[in-house]
Amino acid sequence: MDTQKSAAIAEVDVVVVGGGMTGMYFHYLLRRLGLSIQGFEAGTDVGGTWYWNRYPGARFDSESYSYGFSFSEEVLDEWRWSEHFAAQPETLRYLNFVADKFDLRRDIRFSTRVTGAEFDAERSRWQVSTDDGAVTSARYLVLATGVLSAPFIPDIRGVERFGGLTWHTSDWPREPISLSDKRVGVIGTGATAVQMITEIAKDIGHLTVFQRTPNFCKPLRNRPITDDEQREIRERYPAIFQRCRETLGGFLHDFDPRSAFDLSDAERQAFYEQQWQAPGFAFWLGIFADCFTDDAANATAAEFVREKIRERVTDPAVAELLAPTSHAFGTKRQPMESGYYEVYNQPNVRLIDLNADPISRFTETGVETSTEAFDFDVVIFATGFDAVTGALDRMHIQGEQGQSLKHLWQNGPQTYLGIGVSGFPNMFIAGGPHNTTSFCNIPRCIEHNVEFIAECIGHMHTKGLTRIEAEAEAQQAWTRHALDLAADTLFVKNDSWFMGANIPGKKRVFLNYVGGVPLFLEKLADVAAAGYAGFSLK
Ligand code: NA7
């Protein structure tokens, strides 16, 4: 085993980049293998997504008890979620509880960002550079950088001249800030904006929402977990996690195999109503599978949601702006809401349609569109993330031939299982492109990936092997498989972060994996059973 050799270049077995849920689980598992680990985390503490995203209203859209870690009976026994869909402060407390329990911070250097990593082919080791000027040498580079962790702020002319405050939702001010007398502009209406707008609108001076694309939002239907429910959840944990292994997206909900047209119009409406009234993603991941492959089936769901929106918004013109018509239902991540549409009935809230009236620039006092000038004290960017590849691209990762990962992926990413990349030996991505993680109840898929990677590293270690690399043919076949599956769905017709289409200049290509959790787990098991087929081991 490698140990620290000098003050200048520390040597370890594994560098783990990221201290979110993925990184935390890596520390837990890799330590049990007796490996030396150096973790790096840009934040001051663990938590990743739940550390950064502290905006008002941030909460789970997955059932809390389906979201937490499943690996520890003790944690399942000791932790109690207060609500069916827990809010961010509780989730961060949970992750701190897990970190404390297993001493997971021990090997993590916080407030430290990895800036680059270079593969030294001669020694089969990674040289990892950090923004504190240090270099760490590791046999394995494990990237636990998250799929929605690279914030995106659009390049709008004049933003530097604006005299008020601006921030991205993932960078909410740490000091409490009251908006009750503020004129606030919000750019974006995705899942984040929907949660945040609903919360800040409860106590705000004036709110202007700039919307480019309306979304099909569904009521979350959150409520506290009673003592009886808690007892039942504890008993049901094995069944809950088993269910999540069997559904396509690792959620408690799963698609209905019937066609939308197997039912009469009345039966279909009744089914939609039932799913609409159910909590969570029931009306998205629990409706007919052909709604995601067939335009006509999809239209039945889309119209159902549009009607629900119209019922809740008083001004018919505003209701029409909020009712999506430019894309198919469910082909963007569905925002979950708890009073979002009623916000637009408030006298101190305005919705601006950027399609009719685009933002032209920031001024010293606010924002100008093509027809109007708005004065703001605060402008909040709820403009999303450079998803899946963004966090990887922002580090300078150089493979065996000196090629950069970012450059290699400029025409679309190529991976084997969304885990390995040919030309980048001893590097593992937990949840890279064409992996289940970004199209999943994320912690469920995180666990599958981390377990596979940790077992693989353990296998290498016990066999005395020092180099593993995805084979080019396996990578090509996997990428084709992932893209072929997606080609049969409506997801590829829509512009969203699923397609990388939210980032100007990013190659428009499907980034997720729609084969589903059961198929992916089968594939991982087969690959491992065959001695890591598709990887070459030395
Ligand atoms: P999303 O879902 O990517 O939403 C970003 C929003 O910002 C969306 O409404 C975008 O409109 C809008 N946007 C992006 N760029 C611009 C510009 N230049 N002008 C105006 N509006 C813009 O990110 P979220 O943070 O809401 O959600 C990310 C994930 O977090 C979500 O999937 C969950 O998993 C949790 P567009 O739709 O592109 O027209």
Side-chain angles (χ1 to χ4, degrees):
M1 193 196 314
D2 298 316
T3 50
Q4 306 253 330
K5 281 196 177 147
S6 75
I9 298 189
E11 298 227 338
V12 290
D13 292 316
V14 191
V15 155
V16 176
V17 188
M21 290 186 83
T22 314
M24 288 169 66
Y25 193 32
F26 268 121
H27 282 270
Y28 175 85
L29 286 182
L30 293 172
R31 196 183 287 164
R32 291 178 145 213
L33 295 173
L35 300 173
S36 58
I37 312 160
Q38 178 63 63
F40 295 109
E41 164 55 50
T44 59
D45 207 341
V46 293
T49 288
W50 301 102
Y51 167 91
W52 293 105
N53 288 276
R54 295 165 190 242
Y55 61 84
R59 70 169 61 243
F60 288 155
D61 289 335
S62 308
E63 287 74 5
S64 309
Y65 30 88
S66 78
Y67 193 98
F69 287 118
S70 72
F71 66 81
S72 161
E73 288 294 321
E74 263 181 84
V75 170
L76 296 176
D77 276 339
E78 291 168 23
W79 185 262
R80 180 185 169 154
W81 295 105
S82 69
E83 294 179 282
H84 284 267
F85 301 89
Q88 177 270 340
E90 183 171 346
T91 307
L92 192 57
R93 275 201 304 281
Y94 166 77
L95 294 176
N96 277 284
F97 164 76
V98 175
D100 288 343
K101 187 169 194 64
F102 301 111
D103 190 17
L104 298 181
R105 295 184 190 81
R106 193 173 74 203
D107 300 316
I108 303 179
R109 199 183 304 159
F110 291 100
S111 306
T112 308
R113 193 174 279 281
V114 169
T115 51
E118 216 174 302
F119 188 69
D120 174 351
E122 226 161 84
R123 296 184 66 217
S124 283
R125 296 183 69 87
W126 283 93
Q127 301 274 92
V128 181
S129 310
T130 41
D131 63 1
D132 56 0
V135 176
T136 307
S137 164
R139 172 72 65 212
Y140 301 104
L141 174 64
V142 167
L143 301 168
T145 43
V147 292
L148 291 157
S149 54
F152 165 68
I153 295 186
D155 187 14
I156 300 176
R157 191 156 61 92
V159 66
E160 69 290 343
R161 291 178 17 209
F162 178 54
L165 297 170
T166 64
W167 60 77
H168 186 273
T169 46
S170 68
D171 193 19
W172 199 272
R174 294 301 164 96
E175 298 306 314
I177 180 158
S178 166
L179 301 177
S180 54
D181 60 348
K182 301 279 191 298
R183 298 158 303 170
V184 179
V186 171
I187 303 176
T189 51
T192 299
V194 166
Q195 290 186 332
M196 184 213 35
I197 287 169
T198 309
E199 199 55 35
I200 63 173
K202 290 175 183 166
D203 184 14
I204 201 159
H206 189 277
L207 173 64
T208 306
V209 177
F210 295 96
Q211 170 184 275
R212 193 164 64 181
T213 313
N215 273 299
F216 294 94
C217 312
K218 177 195 172 287
L220 179 63
R221 306 198 195 285
N222 187 25
R223 59 185 173 80
I225 295 175
T226 65
D227 290 346
D228 284 349
E229 282 175 332
Q230 175 58 28
R231 269 190 294 279
E232 190 245 351
I233 286 165
R234 177 63 195 98
E235 274 169 28
R236 249 181 350 109
Y237 264 131
I240 288 170
F241 294 126
Q242 183 55 31
R243 165 88 180 146
C244 293
R245 292 176 74 85
E246 289 166 359
T247 60
L248 196 101
F251 292 91
L252 293 173
H253 311 276
D254 208 5
F255 299 104
D256 189 314
R258 294 174 297 177
S259 161
F261 299 113
D262 285 347
L263 283 71
S264 70
D265 289 354
E267 287 168 340
R268 187 169 55 245
Q269 284 300 105
F271 173 74
Y272 281 159
E273 189 60 38
Q274 168 201 309
Q275 297 306 93
W276 189 259
Q277 295 306 328
F281 285 129
F283 193 103
W284 182 33
L285 307 175
I287 64 166
F288 309 110
D290 66 348
C291 287
F292 301 90
T293 53
D294 179 73
D295 285 314
N298 188 286
T300 64
E303 188 49 27
F304 180 91
V305 182
R306 283 193 289 265
E307 265 312 304
K308 293 290 185 192
I309 296 169
R310 291 178 189 124
E311 283 167 16
R312 289 170 58 186
V313 182
T314 319
D315 181 335
V318 176
E320 283 318 307
L321 286 183
L322 288 166
T325 51
S326 65
H327 65 280
F329 166 78
T331 53
K332 280 177 184 277
R333 159 65 149 82
Q334 184 183 62
M336 304 299 287
E337 58 86 27
S338 308
Y340 175 66
Y341 290 110
E342 285 72 15
V343 167
Y344 296 95
N345 299 334
Q346 290 181 208
N348 61 344
V349 177
R350 257 188 89 184
L351 179 66
I352 303 298
D353 175 15
L354 292 179
N355 298 302
D357 197 10
I359 294 175
S360 40
R361 61 173 188 143
F362 269 87
T363 63
E364 285 81 1
T365 56
V367 166
E368 261 177 31
T369 63
S370 53
T371 63
E372 207 172 332
F374 298 84
D375 283 347
F376 293 122
D377 303 302
V378 177
V379 175
I380 301 168
F381 288 97
T383 41
F385 300 86
D386 184 352
V388 186
T389 54
L392 302 167
D393 284 350
R394 289 179 190 189
M395 292 176 284
H396 186 58
I397 302 176
Q398 275 181 286
E400 180 154 32
Q401 311 294 332
Q403 72 278 37
S404 100
L405 188 66
K406 181 178 178 183
H407 183 74
L408 194 72
W409 283 0
Q410 62 187 339
N411 291 318
Q414 301 250 338
T415 69
Y416 179 44
L417 305 171
I419 291 175
V421 182
S422 173
F424 294 73
N426 295 359
M427 179 182 92
F428 296 95
I429 311 170
H434 306 142
N435 181 281
T436 42
T437 304
S438 45
F439 213 55
C440 189
N441 185 8
I442 289 182
R444 298 281 63 77
C445 288
I446 283 174
E447 284 189 342
H448 308 150
N449 279 280
V450 173
E451 285 160 12
F452 175 85
I453 294 167
E455 275 166 31
C456 178
I457 292 176
H459 173 84
M460 300 283 296
H461 189 59
T462 43
K463 296 263 183 233
L465 302 167
T466 56
R467 189 187 144 107
I468 176 167
E469 182 183 358
E471 289 166 1
E473 305 74 45
Q475 172 170 293
Q476 213 176 11
W478 180 257
T479 305
R480 192 173 314 120
H481 163 68
L483 295 180
D484 283 352
L485 286 175
D488 292 335
T489 70
L490 301 179
F491 295 109
V492 295
K493 292 189 182 176
N494 194 0
D495 283 344
S496 68
W497 67 255
F498 295 169
M499 296 296 298
N502 62 327
I503 303 298
K506 186 168 175 173
K507 173 78 180 171
R508 191 182 183 286
V509 64
F510 193 68
L511 294 169
N512 301 337
Y513 178 69
V514 290
V517 169
L519 185 63
F520 189 72
L521 285 177
E522 204 181 302
K523 177 74 182 172
L524 288 187
D526 289 349
V527 167
Y532 297 96
F535 290 96
S536 73
L537 281 63
K538 285 185 192 152

